Amino acid sequence: MTRALASLPDWPAALTEAEALEFTRVSAAQMKEWRERGVVRFVPRGRNGAAIAQLSELKAALAAMFDSGSATGTDEWFDD
């Protein structure tokens, strides 16, 4: 990361995958599942092609995870 997220007053409207993982606190496997299902879309931007996802999609994915009750099974929370 180029700047400490703790120094920002609020989360940016779009996040890289590393930032998205930090924001959501889900596992890389969970993020990959969301990407594959199209729940969270990462779009390449910038010269180096860094992909970003909308904060609103990440928030919606988290809300859906808790609303569906899948957040109660901790097996999905951790990478193997």
Side-chain angles (χ1 to χ4, degrees):
M1 265 178 260
T2 58
R3 60 187 164 200
L5 290 175
S7 69
L8 297 174
D10 201 359
W11 288 92
L15 305 172
T16 64
E17 186 163 359
E19 293 167 338
L21 288 167
E22 186 175 343
F23 173 78
T24 61
R25 306 285 190 195
V26 299
S27 69
Q30 179 66 62
M31 189 65 67
K32 180 180 176 188
E33 179 187 329
W34 285 345
R35 285 180 88 153
E36 289 172 351
R37 291 181 23 226
V39 173
V40 175
R41 295 170 295 131
F42 284 86
V43 179
R45 290 289 181 254
R47 262 185 246 186
N48 62 1
I52 57 174
Q54 289 183 330
L55 182 61
S56 59
E57 287 186 359
L58 294 164
K59 288 180 177 181
L62 281 172
M65 182 175 75
F66 281 90
D67 289 345
S68 71
S70 67
T72 59
T74 58
D75 290 343
E76 296 178 19
W77 293 5
F78 303 100
D79 291 330
D80 292 332

